[in-house]
Amino acid sequence: MRLNIEHETHYRFGEPAHHSIQYLRLTPRADSSQTVLSWAVNTPGKVKRWVDGFGNIAHVSVQNGVHDELPVTVRGEVETFDTCGMLPADDGLPPLMFSRPTPFTDVTPAIAAFAEPFRERIVDEGSIAALHALMLGLHTIISYKKGFTDVTTTAAEALEAGAGVCPDYAHLFIACARVLDVPARYVSGYMYCPPPTADEAPSLASHAWAEAYIDEKVGWVSFDSVNIRSATDAYVRLAVAFDYAGAAPIRGVRKGGGVEDMSVRVAVVEEPDDFQSQSQSSGVQNQYQRFSPG
């Protein structure tokens, strides 16, 4: 599947800011499930590309001088492949490193009590079947509600509230996997959703899910508890990490600025099979280009 992606995040400040730093993990990874055909990151200020400890392609953007807004946009094309949600074990990241606890995925008694029954299913049915059952279980007990949680919400808080969004489902899956002694990690990215019918609400194209390590032969398997499935060619992987903190598309700090208002627009469109990309640009451009709403 060939996907055309546009993602705009626009920060507007209630008063002038004097210094802003943004850490951007907005460039798709190069792996067996996808090939980046073209990609451009656009934002004002000085931009430097680097690769973090998880192998994610990242940029740091620094804007000095007085400014009252900060736009960040990305645009590009990615060709994706359906690997049945499976990725190779040897991706340069030791699986056991993803067994460590984090503030977002701390295991509480309530999480342990929910996850523990799946241990017997691992013995009886195998890890993959048991983890699919866990994914379904989380989908059953957590209701998807936008605006009910925020980027500071932990897995324990989402479980107690019984509601959340995709990062909450991913954090809960990772925490439960840790109870079962299964390494698991957080994935940020995009997901293509077919155009909705007249009776359906549009789906948000930015997404997050979890991946669990099975063994050396199988490798990593993805689990999306929101949609109750493993990743397909409709998914684009941006970054992997222990949790949201390490894979967030944008994180930053600034001096001044007062109250902040943020708007986000994400569009993921499937291109026809015979579509030939006309884009020749790839990398970082410092001149901001605003996308017109579709």
Side-chain angles (χ1 to χ4, degrees), residues 35-246:
T35 298
V36 180
L37 302 177
S38 66
W39 201 261
V41 179
N42 306 281
T43 189
K46 296 181 179 180
V47 181
K48 182 177 180 180
R49 182 183 185 277
W50 55 293
V51 177
D52 68 14
F54 298 102
N56 303 314
I57 300 172
H59 295 86
V60 59
S61 168
V62 179
Q63 186 172 359
N64 292 311
V66 177
H67 54 282
D68 59 8
E69 65 176 357
L70 182 57
V72 179
T73 66
V74 297
R75 169 184 295 177
E77 290 179 289
V78 181
E79 186 173 6
T80 59
F81 312 98
D82 192 348
T83 63
C84 299
M86 301 170 62
L87 291 165
D90 184 15
D91 62 0
L93 300 171
L96 288 179
M97 71 183 283
F98 293 101
S99 297
R100 57 168 288 183
T102 74
F104 279 111
T105 61
D106 188 37
V107 176
T108 61
I111 291 176
F114 174 79
E116 191 59 39
F118 293 93
R119 186 183 301 277
E120 185 175 345
R121 298 190 67 161
I122 291 179
V123 176
D124 295 340
E125 305 172 26
S127 296
I128 296 179
L131 292 172
H132 275 285
L134 170 63
M135 174 177 65
L136 175 60
L138 290 175
H139 181 86
T140 302
I141 65 169
I142 302 296
S143 299
Y144 185 89
K145 291 184 179 180
K146 295 180 181 180
F148 196 79
T149 57
D150 57 35
V151 296
T152 67
T153 302
T154 66
E157 291 168 341
L159 179 61
E160 181 178 3
V165 290
C166 47
D168 304 307
Y169 285 85
H171 286 150
L172 264 170
F173 185 95
I174 294 168
C176 290
R178 185 169 302 114
V179 174
L180 304 174
D181 302 315
V182 176
R185 62 193 183 190
Y186 184 99
V187 188
S188 64
Y190 301 108
M191 185 178 71
Y192 166 71
C193 298
T197 65
D199 297 330
E200 294 177 332
S203 299
L204 186 64
S206 59
H207 198 34
W209 59 96
E211 292 174 346
Y213 180 76
I214 305 303
D215 54 36
E216 290 185 3
K217 183 178 180 179
V218 175
W220 292 90
V221 176
S222 59
F223 296 90
D224 178 1
S225 298
V226 175
N227 295 290
I228 330 175
R229 66 179 183 181
S230 292
T232 66
D233 55 354
Y235 290 65
V236 175
R237 300 168 82 238
L238 279 177
V240 302
F242 300 125
D243 55 25
Y244 172 84

